[in-house]
């Protein structure tokens, strides 16, 4: 690769390839959302949330809104992890102010893998529209839920403590295994289609990975994630994958070593320097400012941004939150965060 090609590689993709870039590239989980007035306007126009996800012109517009306003290095596809159960034929609705509600699931054979490509087609169109509209320097992040997290919603039918799902791991492991396997296959199809349509990298959100003890974490989080990583690596050797085993604590070290992901997102409870000492030096780490500190704003926010970025100086790091932006966050605080990062000077050399 020539020097100029090197310089033209987008900053976020350079970090995913294992390079330390300063100041770090930035994007924020839930950067498109209710805290933005322009999002609320489009959301009202679409009517309900699922319609918004399945209308490519509107979904592309809300994906791009935060980039237009703040100029993040990454845009995340506007969709939801529950598109996969819906694509497999399970009924899904978003009750206003209550979150998702899914239909009863009695048997994994009811899940229709053959229907997935047609059902996700509008979301794939959104990917293509966004990629065509964005400048090359902005990385388009495709995504899906981790199979365990998606299975939690499918079995329990809604958000919460997911006791049905966690009980199933002991009372009917064959059934939970069959559901997770169907979701894994659907996810491979869905992410393959996103990459073919223009996603530059992909992220697996395993938001509820932290509910499991170590043996079940190996079975339901690490094994299916590794299956997805291997399938995508075979088809797309250059496309990088970010994993997010949220609230997994020390098990995140196993996740990093065993799934084959190129990057790992850190939740709010993780000490970045402590985790960095236990994962390969080329593995990119992403995160992990407290969304409540972003909401609070002011000098404490600027100090928090500088503290996390400095702790990760010299290793591949993508700045982000530890979880999604809260809906009552002031947009000006997001502008402050991005501005503070871009203005960061090289931290003093602490090695002497
Ligand atoms: O407009 C609205 O009222 C709908 C709210 C909303 C939004 C904006 C939902 C419902 N999903 C989304 C978008 C979304 N969800 C994105 C888009 C891109 C972005 O980040 O900007 C992404 C990546 C997700 C992923 C997602 N959905 C996760 C994983 C990340 C996380 O937050 O932990 C999970 C767990 C979901 C399920 C879900 N979808 C929506 C809600 C309210 C929930 C959570 C339900 C619960 O409380 O368990």
């Amino acid at each position: 690769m020539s020097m100029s090609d090197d310089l033209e590689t987008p900053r976020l993709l350079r970090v995913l390839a294992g390079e330390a870039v300063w100041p770090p590239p930035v994007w924020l989980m839930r950067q498109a959302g209710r805290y933005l007035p322009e999002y609320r306007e489009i959301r009202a126009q679409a009517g309900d949330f699922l319609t918004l996800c399945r209308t490519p012109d509107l979904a592309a517009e809300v994906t791009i809104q935060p980039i237009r306003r703040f100029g993040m290095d990454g845009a995340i596809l506007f969709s939801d992890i529950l598109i996969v159960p819906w694509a497999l034929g399970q009924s899904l609705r978003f009750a206003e102010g209550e979150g998702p509600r899914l239909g009863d699931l009695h048997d994994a054979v009811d899940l229709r893998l053959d229907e997935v490509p047609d059902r996700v087609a509008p979301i794939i169109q959104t990917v293509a529209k966004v990629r065509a509209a964005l400048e090359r320097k902005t990385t388009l992040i495709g995504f899906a839920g981790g199979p365990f997290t998606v299975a939690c919603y499918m079995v329990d039918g809604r958000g919460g403590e997911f006791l049905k799902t966690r009980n199933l791991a002991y009372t009917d492991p064959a059934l939970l295994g069959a559901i997770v396997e169907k979701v894994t296959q659907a996810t491979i199809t869905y992410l393959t289609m996103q990459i073919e349509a223009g996603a530059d990298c992909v992220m697996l959100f395993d938001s509820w990975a932290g509910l499991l003890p170590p043996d079940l974490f190996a079975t339901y989080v690490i094994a299916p994630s590794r299956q997805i990583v291997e399938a995508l690596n075979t088809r797309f050797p250059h496309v990088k994958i970010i994993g997010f085993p949220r609230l997994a604590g020390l098990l995140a070290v196993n996740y990093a070593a065993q799934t084959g992901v190129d990057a790992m997102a850190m939740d709010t409870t993780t000490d970045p320097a402590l985790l960095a000492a236990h994962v390969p030096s080329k593995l990119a780490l992403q995160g992990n400012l407290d969304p409540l500190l972003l909401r609070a704003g002011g000098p404490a926010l600027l100090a928090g941004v500088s503290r996390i970025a400095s702790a990760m100086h010299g290793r591949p790091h993508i700045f982000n939150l530890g979880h999604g932006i809260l809906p009552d966050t002031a947009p000006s605080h997001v502008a402050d965060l991005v501005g503070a990062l871009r203005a960061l000077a090289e931290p003093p050399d602490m090695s002497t």
Side-chain angles (χ1 to χ4, degrees), residues 19-174:
E19 192 185 330
V21 171
W22 188 267
V26 57
W27 69 278
L28 303 175
M29 289 189 271
R30 291 280 166 97
Q31 64 190 16
R34 270 180 293 164
Y35 77 105
L36 287 178
E38 59 268 38
Y39 169 85
R40 293 196 299 268
E41 201 172 299
I42 301 282
R43 173 80 165 71
Q45 204 178 314
D48 67 299
F49 173 70
L50 262 186
T51 303
L52 175 53
C53 291
R54 284 157 40 208
T55 309
D57 282 330
L58 299 183
E61 168 60 19
V62 296
T63 301
I64 296 163
Q65 281 173 344
I67 311 304
R68 209 180 276 136
R69 202 193 250 256
F70 308 111
M72 289 91 169
D73 297 280
I76 182 153
L77 166 67
F78 189 83
S79 179
D80 195 79
I81 65 165
L82 300 178
I83 286 295
V84 164
W86 175 81
L88 283 163
Q90 195 173 12
S91 73
L92 168 67
R93 65 190 174 84
F94 283 87
E96 207 58 56
E98 287 176 46
R101 294 288 183 273
L102 293 86
D104 287 345
L105 180 62
H106 301 290
D107 198 324
V109 294
D110 298 336
L111 299 169
R112 297 285 305 272
L113 272 175
D114 54 328
E115 297 198 349
V116 169
D118 281 351
R119 309 254 297 184
V120 301
I123 289 119
I124 301 306
Q125 276 184 46
T126 304
V127 174
K129 276 180 189 291
V130 172
R131 190 54 276 175
L134 287 175
E135 286 182 76
R136 206 64 239 178
K137 67 175 188 193
T138 311
T139 296
L140 175 55
I141 304 158
F143 77 91
F148 172 70
T149 291
V150 173
C152 278
Y153 288 96
M154 294 173 77
V155 172
D156 274 73
R158 56 167 74 191
E161 297 280 309
F162 304 107
L163 285 168
K164 277 194 198 169
T165 310
R166 293 154 69 195
N167 277 316
L168 209 55
Y170 297 113
T171 59
D172 196 348

Side-chain angles (χ1 to χ4, degrees), residues 224-244:
S225 302
R226 184 174 55 224
Q227 219 178 316
I228 294 166
V229 170
E230 282 175 357
L232 296 179
N233 280 344
T234 303
R235 276 177 241 196
F236 311 102
H238 302 294
V239 174
K240 305 298 183 190
I241 304 168
I242 308 168
F244 184 26

